Amino acid sequence: MAALIAENFRFLSLFFKSKDVMIFNGLVALGTVGSEELFSVFAFNCPCSPARNYIYGLAAIGVPALALFLIGVILNNHTWNLVAECHKRGTKNFSAAATFLLFGSIMGRAAVAPVTWSVISLLRGEAYICALSEFVRPASLDKFPADHGAEVLARFPCKDAPANLTKYRDDVTRRLRYESQLFGWLLIGIVAVLVFLTK
C-alpha cells in the first residue's frame, strides 16, 4: 500500500513539474482576475465628467495592464540571465534565433497578467462605459432631447442623469457594454490564435 501511495505521489510530482509553466500561468491569471474584481469594487469610481471620463476609463484598463507587464518582465529569471550575459560577453555572441526565442519566452510569460486584466476589464465593461459614454452621438438615440449633450451623457455611468433620461441611459449602457464585451472576446480570440501559431 505504501509503495502504491509513493508511486502515485511520484507521478503527481512529475506531472506538476512538467506542467509548471501552465500551472504558474493559471495562478497568475487567477490572481489577476481577483485583483481586477477588487479594483472594480473598491477603487474604480468613474468621475462622470466630460474629458475626465475618457482618460480615467482608459487608464483603468491600460495602466494596471502596463504595470503588470513590467512586473512580469522584471520578475522573470530569464530577463536577468539575459542582462547578465549581455553585460559579461556583449551582444555580439548571441544568435538571432536564440535571442528571439528568449525574448519570446520573457514576453509571453509577462503578457499573461496584463492580457487577463484587459480581457476581464473589457468583459465587465465598466471602464469602457465610463470612457466612451460622452462620445455617444445624441442623434443615434431615438428622440433624445436636443438641449442635452456630452455633459449629460458623461453622467450616465454614475446613474446620475435626470430621471426622464433613464431609458436613454440604459440604452447607452447596453450599447457600450456590448462593444466592450465584443472587444474582450476579440482579444481572447487574437491571443488564442497567437498562442496556437507560436506553439
Side-chain angles (χ1 to χ4, degrees), residues 2 5 23 46 74 78 95 108 112 115 153:
I5 292 172
I23 292 168
C46 187
I74 290 168
H78 293 305
S95 72
V112 172
V115 167
L153 289 167

Short mmCIF file of all heavy atoms in Angstrom, two decimals, residues 2 5 23 46 74 78 95 108 112 115 153:
data_model
loop_
_atom_site.label_atom_id
_atom_site.label_comp_id
_atom_site.label_asym_id
_atom_site.label_seq_id
_atom_site.Cartn_x
_atom_site.Cartn_y
_atom_site.Cartn_z
N ALA A 2 1.92 1.26 0.82
CA ALA A 2 2.82 2.42 0.90
C ALA A 2 3.52 2.64 -0.44
O ALA A 2 3.73 3.78 -0.86
CB ALA A 2 3.83 2.24 2.03
N ILE A 5 1.06 4.35 -2.82
CA ILE A 5 0.92 5.77 -2.49
C ILE A 5 2.16 6.54 -2.95
O ILE A 5 2.07 7.62 -3.54
CB ILE A 5 0.66 5.95 -0.98
CG1 ILE A 5 -0.72 5.40 -0.62
CG2 ILE A 5 0.77 7.42 -0.58
CD1 ILE A 5 -1.00 5.35 0.86
N ILE A 23 0.68 25.74 -14.93
CA ILE A 23 0.13 25.97 -13.59
C ILE A 23 0.46 27.38 -13.12
O ILE A 23 -0.41 28.09 -12.60
CB ILE A 23 0.66 24.91 -12.60
CG1 ILE A 23 0.08 23.54 -12.96
CG2 ILE A 23 0.32 25.28 -11.17
CD1 ILE A 23 0.73 22.39 -12.25
N CYS A 46 -15.89 56.11 -11.57
CA CYS A 46 -15.93 56.97 -12.75
C CYS A 46 -16.20 58.41 -12.34
O CYS A 46 -17.12 58.67 -11.54
CB CYS A 46 -17.01 56.48 -13.71
SG CYS A 46 -17.01 57.34 -15.29
N ILE A 74 10.21 42.05 -15.06
CA ILE A 74 11.22 42.22 -14.00
C ILE A 74 11.38 40.95 -13.17
O ILE A 74 12.49 40.57 -12.80
CB ILE A 74 10.85 43.42 -13.10
CG1 ILE A 74 11.04 44.71 -13.88
CG2 ILE A 74 11.67 43.44 -11.82
CD1 ILE A 74 10.45 45.93 -13.20
N HIS A 78 14.76 34.75 -16.59
CA HIS A 78 15.42 34.81 -17.89
C HIS A 78 15.84 36.24 -18.24
O HIS A 78 16.84 36.44 -18.92
CB HIS A 78 14.51 34.26 -18.99
CG HIS A 78 14.25 32.79 -18.87
ND1 HIS A 78 15.24 31.86 -18.80
CD2 HIS A 78 13.08 32.10 -18.81
CE1 HIS A 78 14.72 30.66 -18.70
NE2 HIS A 78 13.40 30.78 -18.71
N SER A 95 23.09 34.50 -31.04
CA SER A 95 22.47 34.22 -32.34
C SER A 95 21.09 34.84 -32.35
O SER A 95 20.43 34.94 -31.32
CB SER A 95 22.38 32.71 -32.57
OG SER A 95 21.39 32.14 -31.74
N GLY A 108 6.14 36.41 -23.45
CA GLY A 108 4.97 35.54 -23.32
C GLY A 108 4.55 35.34 -21.87
O GLY A 108 3.37 35.42 -21.53
N VAL A 112 0.82 37.35 -19.62
CA VAL A 112 -0.35 36.63 -19.08
C VAL A 112 -1.21 37.55 -18.21
O VAL A 112 -2.42 37.67 -18.42
CB VAL A 112 0.10 35.39 -18.27
CG1 VAL A 112 -1.08 34.75 -17.55
CG2 VAL A 112 0.76 34.38 -19.19
N VAL A 115 -2.84 40.73 -20.20
CA VAL A 115 -3.91 40.32 -21.11
C VAL A 115 -5.14 39.90 -20.30
O VAL A 115 -6.27 40.26 -20.64
CB VAL A 115 -3.43 39.18 -22.04
CG1 VAL A 115 -4.59 38.54 -22.76
CG2 VAL A 115 -2.42 39.72 -23.03
N LEU A 153 -24.49 62.95 -21.06
CA LEU A 153 -24.07 61.59 -21.42
C LEU A 153 -22.90 61.12 -20.56
O LEU A 153 -22.79 59.94 -20.23
CB LEU A 153 -23.68 61.54 -22.90
CG LEU A 153 -24.84 61.66 -23.89
CD1 LEU A 153 -24.31 61.92 -25.30
CD2 LEU A 153 -25.70 60.42 -23.87
#
